[in-house]
Amino acid sequence: MSVAEAPEERAAAEPESEAWQPKIVAFCCNWCSYAGADLAGTSRLHYPATVRVVRVPCSGRVNPRFVIRAFQRGADGVLVAGCHPGDCHYSTGNYYARRRFLLARRLLEYMGIDPERFWVKWISGSEGPKFAEVIREMSAAISALGPNRKAREEE
Amino acid sequence: MKVLDLAQDCVPGFAAEVSRLSGTNVESCYACGKCSAGCPLSSAMDYQPHQILRMVQLGLRDEVLSARAIWLCASCITCTVRCPREVKLAQVMDALRSLSRRTGAVPGDRKVVAFYRSFLDFVRGGGRLHELGMTLAYKLRSGDLLGDIDLGLKMMLRGKLKPLPARIKGRSDVAGIFRRVREAEGQQAEDRKPQVQELKGRQAKHREGAAE
Amino acid sequence: MPRVGVFICWCGSNIAGTVDIARVVEAVAEMPQVVHVEDNKYTCSEPGQASIRKAVSDHRLDRVVVAACSPRMHENTFRKTIAAAGLNPYLLEVANLREQCSWVHEDKEAATVKAIDLVRMAVAKVCRHVPLFTSQSPVTKRAVVIGGGIAGIQAALDIADAGHEVVLVERTPSLGGHMAQLDKTFPTLDCSACILTPKMVEVAQHPKITIYAYSEVEKVDGYVGNFTVTIRRKARSVDETRCTGCGVCMTRCPSNVPNEFDVGLGKRKAIYVPFPQAVPNKATIDREHCIYYQRGRCRICERVCEAKAIVFDQPDELIEVQAGAIVAATGYAQFDHSVYGEYGYGQYPDVITGLEFERLVCASGPTEGKIKRPSDGRIPETVVFIKCVGSRDENKGVSYCSRTCCMYTAKHAILTREKIPGSRVYIFYMDVRTAGKGYEEFYRRATEEYGARYVRGRVSRIYPKGGRLVVVGEDTILGRKAVVEADMVVLAAAMVPQPDAGAIARTLGVSYDQDGFLTEAHPKLRPVETNTAGVFLAGACQGPKDIPDTVAQASAAASKAAALLCREALETEAMIASVDESRCSGCLWCEAVCPYKAITAKTITERVRGKNVSRTVAEVNKSLCHGCGACTVACRDGAMNLLGFTNQQILAEVEAVCL
Amino acid sequence: MRTYAYYPGCSLEGTAKEYDRSLRAVAPLLGIHLAELHDWSCCGSSAAHATSHHLGLALAARNLNLAVPRSGQPADLLVPCAMCYNRLRVTARELAADPGLRADVETEIGAPFAGGPVKTRALPEVLWKDVGPEAISQAVVHPLDGLKIACYYGCLLVRPMEATGWDDAEDPKSLDDIVAATGAEPVVWSHKVECCGGGLSISRRELVGKLVADILTAAQDAGADAIVTACPMCHANLDTRQGLAAAAAGRPLAVPVLYITQLLGLACGLPERKLSLRSHLTSVGPLLAKIRDLKNQAQAAGEGGS
């Protein structure tokens, strides 16, 4: 497809004509999950354009504050993806992450945010297909839940 | 010696079944032979203990279930305590004997089987074993009438043989246990019927093979 | 107000095919901080990079966003580009429009919208970038090699020959290790001492090598390039500088002690040199067995020593050595077969181990190389060898194969047949594993030329009968029990880790496997490195090995260490944790979660209301920090931040997405 | 006096009557009170467990249930027969480990299995651990000094370790210590735990003969005056198969085989008839003669001394 065709394309897809699409913020660790996402790309695996990846060095770097801020700003879903337990590039980071996010789910529940909007997945650098699959599943799941209005702070 | 047809002769799932029944993983065995080396009876066996285990691994069901070795095993557990792979061979032997009996395989050693049958008859009847009665019953079963007569007399004289069987009050419980266990096993045997028929056929073939 | 330039790459049609570049350019131009935006067919191409450099100067850009392929592809390329344009290389952010957008979406509209978001995120983040700098940490050009066996000797020589100083630490009074105890070596049958002794002498004479024998490493501080190793020099009770190794003291010492060098088969004195070719050739007093130390009387050695070298009140000495690299060559121990009741619980004198047999056949051993039964000194006619004793036995031993036993047992068989005419040799085995140059041929010689009888099966039991040993085994090939009455039984006992391998690992800060062997960083690609930078492994401390493999690995470890020591300084990461001391409360939760021990407590003094107050804060060691960021999340005060991935930057990205 | 629940087992009513009698005779002298289980039945050894896993377990489970009192903690269950001991131990262990199996067995015995807490103890274990060599030597009135005894443990007292575990599987010591406490000398020999052929005694006596031959020759070569055992099956084989054994060994074999309780009885001064020593097939006459001689010598020496 060349850029020349772009105009009709645009006409075809008018913003108002398209249905509501969830917005998912994904924190991906640089060594495994971000690489997995890249692999999904190089293997041309398709998944919905609902996800925006924030690159972090390690899932252990993701502060629950980031997750909550995302929901406050109206993200419909948040995904934290890191190396499989035991494979952490920094040896122990993802263990701390795992423990933290178990608690974070509780906190979200307490805040009245459906914990089902918050996913934690282990995706290795060789698991492009898994990354694509997770995004497909998550998009479907979040679409089913509908938009996140609860935590959105009034602008 | 019969050629081993790995595709035809080997019953899939047999190793797994024996592993389940014996509570030990037969696939762990790497055939070092320490079990056979330590076995007090291996010299009289048609297959060495490690060969029995090999047959189980391969799934040579009919051959192993009609082997004499499984009946000559005296359950001394030496193999089990010394096995470097922690295979509980004594329990495998128990499992094979019970499978052999339940699938109606041709017993590898008539005398031992006859002894076990007589033994159990008396336990079923009286709740306890009556050695004298059991021995006589065994002699009738096995046809080994004259053996040990002298010994029997000597023991009789020394009051080592209780003339009458003990008949405990709870003997009906014991008989009940026998019945219910048989029922349970019978059920399993039912499930296995087709296999048994097939097994019989195989054994017939196997014997012909051996006869040739 | 930052001046951001955004460069959007078509990547041919790879991006432009799915993403409407024109619209992205349009949208980006709207973003407040963006003062310049352009699109190129291939931004990574030289023209593409040139136009970045040009734009930086033309538009006085102080931040750059490249929207192209994954940062994992070209982040470094573009860092260099902007550095060439005079910007700090870390003032760059890459938006991943290819792998994570154009290649994974078909719907052009959605892809374009997403692309704009991704660039907005990058812009938001890059505005919060600050210049980052790597720092240099100097390298101490000295290596400490722990263990004076063949592995340590080889590693020390190679590193020293590369021109670096080496400190070689050996626990026993002499270098040599297990190899010094061996008689002949397979597969060439050349005498072990003959090939080892010259190397020991070479070490002793090497101007760049310092030997600390009868010494142990007690503590290791610091990090790659800058270790501080604390060594305990145990008191020999002999002044090394005076002792000439003449040996008179040993001839006169009245107390006899089982000689550990002869695996207890021979005797030595309480003052001793372990073996004639010992390096250093200095006497040592074994205080547990010295009559003077035990009963306060004797001191004969002191009287007879012309060099006046005896120092009864000599204390242990602690010394600190600065080093850039450490090589662990701590070796192995032999499996204790006394767990085998079926083989006599180690109680039958004529059931011995392979190492004991080495001493028996060795010309310099307790029997002058005559193979004699320990029990009665008789020459055995029938010798049985049992392989895999302890090896490949989950029940009573270890699960792994010890790799060396097949070969040394074949060697023992050959030596027995050579030394005892008419002797009969039986070898009970499960497999014969001879993977090595000339190994299989060597094993064939044992059977074909020397008539060693191999019997395939494990031995179930050994029991004494009329002064001989009944060995009850199985020939699994025949499927028949195989019994033999032997005069001597030699057990090929497994190679196991040193009993204190765990302690060694903890001292060095390296990990060890379930068996207790020190673990390499990667089983295939980093076989001699450990997860602790600057610590390398050589020889059997990493797993069972024969001499050729040990020497090869020792040289490999040495070259790794030398390569490290060749560098003037090590560059540290730029994207590492940093503490805002004004906010840090010194709780040190960060210290607990740091996988690299990079965080330590430090005391600072500051003036509060005219008074000097000192308090504890966390300090990050730039050389140790790998930038994982675990500490930033653990921090209760928000004092800990990760440069390049600050909380503010990540939150800015989040907000940019959710606009 | 410590009370133990007592499970004799079938053999002790017949071929091993003397084991039962000697045990009952010597127990009080060692502070052991035996309370025989009411209406006990076969433990499910040999024939049962060898041909049906469940039958073996169910029969043992019934007896373990009998050992549970209506109220309070069950007393330890003392089992003189090594086979019964082994079956009861193994059963308790397997049922504890596998709830599914336990459920099956409960349907088969038509009652819930309550025998879990019952602690089954072998006789040598109780003599060794509870009574102890100390107390035994104190109970001894006729020390058997000068007597050489080969302690034969057989298989099921010490194997498998995970089910027994109170003594060593390859070189057990309990009987040796007990024998030593009587003043006799336990000889060092090679066949302590070699199998005697167990249940094949009747159906495959020629094989048993060979095994017994090895054991007896080993004991004789070690200079033993007698063999001491704690297993009716071992005793039956060793005592009654000496003829076959001699034929197999090609040399005369006459080694008296005593139950440990009989030896203890002798040392504790019990009259021979209470120990029914004469019920063995292999004559114990020479042995008793030797004991008498040793005693006389000792007395002579004692008088000489005074």
Side-chain angles (χ1 to χ4, degrees):
Chain A
M1 191 194 298
S2 83
V3 209
E5 303 162 13
E8 305 94 75
E9 281 286 325
R10 208 182 314 165
E14 277 305 312
E16 46 273 15
S17 75
E18 63 181 321
W20 169 78
Q21 282 281 315
K23 185 167 273 185
I24 298 170
V25 179
F27 298 93
C28 293
C29 88
N30 180 53
W31 305 100
C32 289
S33 307
Y34 195 92
D38 280 355
L39 181 59
T42 39
S43 341
R44 308 296 199 281
L45 305 169
H46 293 142
Y47 53 82
T50 50
V51 65
R52 307 285 184 267
V53 172
V54 177
R55 180 168 163 236
V56 289
C58 175
S59 52
R61 169 70 183 96
V62 180
N63 192 318
R65 269 172 61 215
F66 304 163
V67 177
I68 288 159
R69 175 71 66 88
F71 282 120
Q72 287 172 327
R73 289 289 186 273
D76 302 300
V78 175
L79 168 68
V80 175
C83 313
H84 288 266
D87 297 352
C88 178
H89 177 77
Y90 303 103
S91 75
T92 52
N94 53 5
Y95 287 119
Y96 292 113
R98 180 165 60 181
R99 265 177 250 143
R100 251 179 234 125
F101 292 125
L102 284 174
L103 298 176
R105 286 177 71 87
R106 298 267 187 72
L107 177 60
L108 292 173
E109 225 162 352
Y110 174 69
M111 293 169 60
I113 301 170
D114 187 338
E116 291 315 307
R117 295 182 180 277
F118 175 52
W119 290 30
V120 178
K121 290 282 175 192
W122 309 124
I123 302 170
S124 81
S126 58
E127 292 179 321
K130 182 173 179 185
F131 182 86
E133 190 47 42
V134 167
I135 301 306
R136 276 185 225 111
E137 285 174 13
M138 192 166 176
S139 307
I142 304 292
S143 310
L145 290 173
N148 155 33
R149 292 204 180 72
K150 168 80 188 184
R152 184 181 227 111
E153 291 168 343
E154 306 315 322
E155 278 94 12
Chain B
M1 200 171 281
K2 193 161 161 292
V3 174
L4 172 63
D5 182 331
L6 289 168
Q8 292 306 311
D9 304 351
C10 302
V11 180
F14 182 67
E17 186 183 13
V18 174
S19 291
R20 189 176 50 75
L21 289 174
S22 62
T24 191
N25 182 3
V26 296
E27 301 293 1
S28 301
C29 172
Y30 59 17
C32 70
K34 199 174 182 180
C35 47
S36 307
C39 177
L41 292 139
S42 58
S43 55
M45 292 177 171
D46 50 354
Y47 298 99
Q48 295 286 287
H50 72 277
Q51 293 174 317
I52 291 288
L53 210 47
R54 180 59 179 163
M55 291 159 86
V56 172
Q57 283 180 338
L58 288 172
L60 300 176
R61 187 180 60 193
D62 34 343
E63 284 179 60
V64 78
L65 291 187
S66 51
R68 160 173 289 179
I70 65 176
W71 297 103
L72 290 189
C73 164
S75 306
C76 76
I77 321 183
T78 307
C79 46
T80 301
V81 293
R82 292 183 186 162
C83 176
R85 305 287 285 181
E86 300 183 319
V87 174
K88 308 208 176 315
L89 182 50
Q91 294 176 26
V92 172
M93 290 294 192
D94 281 350
L96 291 175
R97 280 187 289 258
S98 114
L99 270 178
S100 162
R101 188 178 53 73
R102 280 149 55 183
T103 53
V106 184
D109 189 301
R110 274 185 48 261
K111 285 184 167 184
V112 178
V113 174
F115 169 77
Y116 285 152
R117 292 236 173 90
S118 323
F119 186 114
L120 292 177
D121 289 349
F122 272 80
V123 176
R124 191 195 290 106
R128 294 181 190 169
L129 176 64
H130 179 240
E131 289 158 330
L132 176 57
M134 179 264 287
T135 314
L136 297 174
Y138 161 73
K139 296 198 162 302
L140 294 172
R141 256 218 186 77
S142 63
D144 171 21
L145 291 167
L146 299 175
D148 283 340
I149 288 292
D150 52 338
L151 179 64
L153 290 171
K154 288 207 199 98
M155 295 178 93
M156 191 71 88
L157 293 172
R158 286 172 175 69
K160 272 178 163 291
L161 292 178
K162 197 158 167 249
L164 294 173
R167 299 173 67 79
I168 65 167
K169 293 200 203 57
R171 60 179 182 278
S172 55
D173 309 358
V174 176
I177 290 175
F178 273 84
R179 198 179 61 251
R180 285 186 288 271
V181 170
R182 290 282 179 267
E183 280 165 9
E185 289 175 344
Q187 194 43 54
Q188 291 159 359
E190 276 306 312
D191 311 341
R192 204 186 280 94
K193 257 239 171 55
Q195 293 177 33
V196 177
Q197 293 317 325
E198 175 210 359
L199 172 62
K200 291 255 170 66
R202 286 164 158 284
Q203 279 175 340
K205 265 213 245 79
H206 174 52
R207 277 195 299 285
E208 289 153 21
E212 284 157 17
Chain C
M1 184 72 174
R3 300 176 57 81
V4 180
V6 179
F7 302 82
I8 299 162
C9 179
W10 291 37
C11 196
S13 68
N14 280 303
I15 296 173
T18 320
V19 173
D20 180 344
I21 302 286
R23 256 180 78 200
V24 177
V25 172
E26 232 168 79
V28 171
E30 302 302 310
M31 301 180 187
Q33 312 87 339
V34 175
V35 294
H36 171 76
V37 53
E38 67 176 65
D39 54 327
N40 315 74
K41 267 234 178 278
Y42 291 102
T43 311
C44 59
S45 66
E46 184 38 42
Q49 296 192 45
S51 78
I52 294 180
R53 287 194 295 272
K54 184 167 180 306
V56 168
S57 54
D58 292 358
H59 303 277
R60 304 194 330 293
L61 303 177
D62 58 11
R63 303 275 194 292
V64 170
V65 168
V66 177
C69 53
S70 169
R72 295 166 53 85
M73 288 289 295
H74 279 313
E75 191 167 42
N76 281 327
T77 317
F78 295 123
R79 276 186 182 158
K80 292 203 190 77
T81 315
I82 69 170
L87 291 183
N88 176 288
Y90 295 92
L91 294 171
L92 169 85
E93 195 58 31
V94 176
N96 187 341
L97 297 199
R98 192 178 73 178
E99 283 81 351
Q100 295 185 14
C101 188
S102 65
W103 275 353
V104 287
H105 306 312
E106 288 161 311
D107 172 358
K108 198 161 185 177
E109 173 59 25
T112 306
V113 173
K114 177 175 178 178
I116 295 167
D117 280 357
L118 292 177
V119 177
R120 190 185 301 108
M121 291 162 68
V123 170
K125 186 180 182 189
V126 83
C127 290
R128 289 160 181 78
H129 269 319
V130 294
L132 298 182
F133 305 92
T134 60
S135 63
Q136 304 275 316
S137 77
V139 175
T140 313
K141 296 189 162 297
R142 183 183 298 109
V144 167
V145 176
I146 307 170
I150 182 58
I153 290 171
Q154 185 64 45
L157 286 172
D158 290 358
I159 297 171
D161 289 344
H164 308 293
E165 277 186 43
V166 177
V167 169
L168 178 54
V169 185
E170 165 58 37
R171 171 188 296 184
T172 69
S174 168
L175 303 183
H178 282 106
M179 186 173 172
Q181 295 174 279
L182 306 183
D183 176 43
K184 302 257 191 306
T185 55
F186 60 77
T188 45
L189 287 185
D190 38 13
C191 118
S192 188
C194 314
I195 55 178
L196 178 65
T197 315
K199 276 189 176 292
M200 289 163 63
V201 176
E202 199 183 340
V203 170
Q205 292 170 348
H206 203 296
K208 288 211 171 281
I209 301 180
T210 314
I211 301 171
Y212 290 134
Y214 206 54
S215 306
E216 295 192 44
V217 170
E218 200 142 280
K219 192 149 129 288
V220 174
D221 296 315
Y223 48 89
V224 55
N226 297 278
F227 293 107
T228 305
V229 182
T230 311
I231 299 166
R232 171 177 298 275
R233 303 200 63 192
K234 295 177 283 184
R236 278 178 186 268
S237 312
V238 169
D239 181 342
E240 280 194 34
T241 57
R242 289 164 165 272
C243 176
T244 60
C246 68
V248 174
C249 50
M250 304 183 339
T251 59
R252 303 288 299 281
C253 174
S255 94
N256 284 307
V257 185
N259 185 349
E260 40 292 278
F261 184 76
D262 289 333
V263 207
L265 290 173
K267 292 253 182 280
R268 63 160 169 85
K269 297 306 182 81
I271 184 165
Y272 69 109
V273 174
F275 55 101
Q277 311 87 341
V279 170
N281 183 10
K282 308 285 178 187
T284 307
I285 294 181
D286 159 8
R287 294 186 176 182
E288 272 128 69
H289 298 96
C290 170
I291 294 168
Y292 172 65
Y293 281 103
Q294 295 310 316
R295 305 201 211 111
R297 263 182 285 91
C298 184
R299 300 180 80 124
I300 292 173
C301 48
E302 190 180 35
R303 261 183 270 115
V304 300
C305 178
E306 285 163 6
K308 298 274 161 283
I310 309 293
V311 190
F312 284 112
D313 57 2
Q314 189 181 58
D316 285 8
E317 190 189 347
L318 284 180
I319 52 173
E320 280 194 354
V321 174
Q322 304 300 321
I326 297 175
V327 176
T330 50
Y332 72 98
Q334 197 175 35
F335 179 79
D336 173 13
H337 67 277
S338 69
V339 302
Y340 282 95
E342 58 267 52
Y343 299 163
Y345 284 120
Q347 296 307 304
Y348 307 149
D350 296 331
V351 176
I352 64 174
T353 67
L355 198 56
E356 289 170 306
F357 186 84
E358 293 285 347
R359 295 315 298 154
L360 284 186
V361 283
C362 182
S364 66
T367 57
E368 284 89 26
K370 294 200 174 41
I371 304 175
K372 294 179 179 171
R373 312 207 316 164
S375 61
D376 56 10
R378 258 184 47 232
I379 306 279
E381 284 163 17
T382 303
V383 182
V384 168
F385 294 87
I386 303 178
K387 292 209 266 178
C388 296
V389 174
S391 306
R392 307 173 69 191
D393 182 346
E394 280 105 73
N395 187 351
K396 290 175 178 157
V398 296
S399 57
Y400 56 82
C401 161
S402 289
R403 286 187 78 214
T404 58
C405 325
C406 282
M407 286 303 290
Y408 75 64
T409 303
K411 177 187 76 184
H412 290 169
I414 290 175
L415 294 177
T416 309
R417 291 280 295 155
E418 256 177 5
K419 294 208 166 194
I420 310 175
S423 60
R424 282 178 303 282
V425 167
Y426 303 94
I427 299 169
F428 285 91
Y429 73 100
M430 290 199 294
D431 300 286
V432 180
R433 297 178 173 178
T434 57
K437 207 171 178 183
Y439 286 12
E440 178 68 9
E441 296 78 352
F442 184 76
Y443 151 58
R444 296 289 296 280
R445 275 173 61 203
T447 57
E448 291 163 15
E449 282 176 44
Y450 291 87
R453 174 60 60 214
Y454 276 69
V455 182
R456 202 272 170 202
R458 262 196 194 269
V459 168
S460 174
R461 185 154 181 252
I462 304 170
Y463 64 90
K465 187 178 177 192
R468 304 185 86 194
L469 295 157
V470 182
V471 179
V472 184
E474 172 84 5
D475 184 325
T476 60
I477 295 168
L478 280 182
R480 238 187 259 170
K481 189 174 287 196
V483 179
V484 53
E485 276 196 24
D487 302 295
M488 186 194 267
V489 177
V490 183
L491 308 178
M495 285 172 95
V496 296
Q498 293 277 15
D500 59 349
I504 296 167
R506 278 187 292 280
T507 313
L508 295 174
V510 303
S511 50
Y512 54 99
D513 61 27
Q514 72 278 6
D515 297 309
F517 289 110
L518 306 185
T519 31
E520 62 280 10
H522 189 286
K524 298 173 195 63
L525 304 178
R526 299 176 64 198
V528 300
E529 293 146 279
T530 65
N531 283 327
T532 304
V535 179
F536 307 96
L537 302 178
C541 64
Q542 178 263 348
K545 270 179 206 60
D546 58 15
I547 295 169
D549 289 2
T550 297
V551 171
Q553 197 198 16
S555 291
S559 72
K560 284 281 177 187
L564 168 63
L565 297 181
C566 285
R567 303 175 54 179
E568 287 314 315
L570 300 171
E571 189 163 285
T572 62
E573 293 269 335
M575 295 190 168
I576 56 173
S578 77
V579 191
D580 175 349
E581 290 180 354
S582 63
R583 301 178 75 180
C584 178
S585 66
C587 69
L588 293 174
W589 276 80
C590 46
E591 186 184 16
V593 300
C594 177
Y596 304 100
K597 306 192 185 66
I599 300 177
T600 47
K602 106 173 161 189
T603 313
I604 54 166
T605 357
E606 51 195 3
R607 288 195 74 75
V608 183
R609 290 189 222 82
K611 275 205 249 52
N612 278 346
V613 214
S614 45
R615 59 188 182 92
T616 312
V617 296
E619 181 180 34
V620 177
N621 180 318
K622 290 191 164 65
S623 315
L624 292 181
C625 178
H626 287 45
C628 70
C631 51
T632 62
V633 188
C635 181
R636 270 95 195 278
D637 317 297
M640 193 61 85
N641 222 331
L642 182 62
L643 302 177
F645 290 97
T646 62
N647 297 334
Q648 300 72 13
Q649 288 176 312
I650 294 174
L651 288 171
E653 284 190 273
V654 168
E655 313 227 331
V657 181
C658 300
L659 275 184
Chain D
M1 263 314 168
R2 175 168 169 185
T3 301
Y4 294 83
Y6 177 46
Y7 178 89
C10 306
S11 306
L12 275 78
E13 288 192 322
T15 46
K17 192 102 194 70
E18 63 270 34
Y19 192 11
D20 180 67
R21 292 195 62 202
S22 54
L23 171 57
R24 291 180 191 269
V26 80
L29 306 180
L30 301 173
I32 296 175
H33 175 261
L34 299 171
E36 180 168 348
L37 284 190
H38 171 68
D39 209 44
W40 56 269
S41 54
C42 167
C43 68
S45 84
S46 77
H49 84 84
T51 57
S52 162
H53 187 210
H54 279 230
L55 188 58
L57 293 173
L59 288 171
R62 177 182 183 270
N63 291 296
L64 286 169
N65 270 355
L66 295 178
V68 182
R70 274 186 195 69
S71 64
Q73 275 302 311
D76 287 6
L77 180 61
L78 175 58
V79 182
C81 168
M83 286 183 134
C84 305
Y85 162 74
N86 198 281
R87 283 318 303 163
L88 294 169
R89 291 287 292 196
V90 169
T91 301
R93 216 166 159 281
E94 284 194 32
L95 295 186
D98 182 346
L101 188 61
R102 176 182 172 145
D104 295 353
V105 169
E106 285 178 335
T107 41
E108 284 153 4
I109 61 176
F113 174 65
V118 177
K119 216 156 158 270
T120 305
R121 316 276 308 277
L123 177 62
E125 179 189 9
V126 168
L127 292 172
W128 195 40
K129 292 267 166 94
D130 296 7
V131 180
E134 270 312 296
I136 293 176
S137 48
Q138 277 159 23
V140 169
V141 295
H142 300 317
L144 303 175
D145 304 351
L147 204 63
K148 292 187 161 196
I149 299 293
C151 297
Y152 177 70
Y153 297 77
C155 306
L156 300 173
L157 279 179
V158 291
R159 290 192 289 256
M161 274 301 258
E162 63 268 23
T164 58
W166 47 274
D167 203 347
D168 189 276
E170 297 290 350
D171 184 16
K173 291 259 175 289
S174 50
L175 287 175
D176 295 67
D177 288 356
I178 296 163
V179 165
T182 66
E185 176 198 339
V187 298
V188 176
W189 69 308
S190 53
H191 281 52
K192 277 181 171 183
V193 294
E194 293 298 294
C195 177
C196 67
L200 300 175
S201 185
I202 294 173
S203 52
R204 286 263 157 232
R205 50 183 171 304
E206 74 287 0
L207 298 178
V208 172
K210 282 204 202 69
L211 299 176
V212 171
D214 293 345
I215 296 165
L216 294 178
T217 46
Q220 233 172 21
D221 296 348
D225 301 307
I227 293 177
V228 154
T229 173
C231 170
M233 184 52 70
C234 302
H235 186 279
N237 286 343
L238 294 183
D239 180 44
T240 66
R241 294 302 180 191
Q242 299 211 353
L244 277 171
R251 73 187 231 192
L253 290 169
V255 187
V257 186
L258 270 62
Y259 287 104
I260 182 66
T261 44
Q262 294 177 302
L263 191 78
L264 286 172
L266 285 170
C268 297
L270 291 172
E272 286 174 18
R273 50 173 183 71
K274 279 196 144 188
L275 305 170
S276 44
L277 284 162
R278 300 292 177 183
S279 64
H280 298 324
L281 268 69
T282 307
S283 161
V284 294
L287 178 71
L288 297 176
K290 176 163 185 182
I291 294 176
R292 251 179 258 103
D293 300 348
L294 290 167
K295 209 180 295 172
N296 300 337
Q297 288 166 18
Q299 276 164 0
E303 283 150 10
S306 60

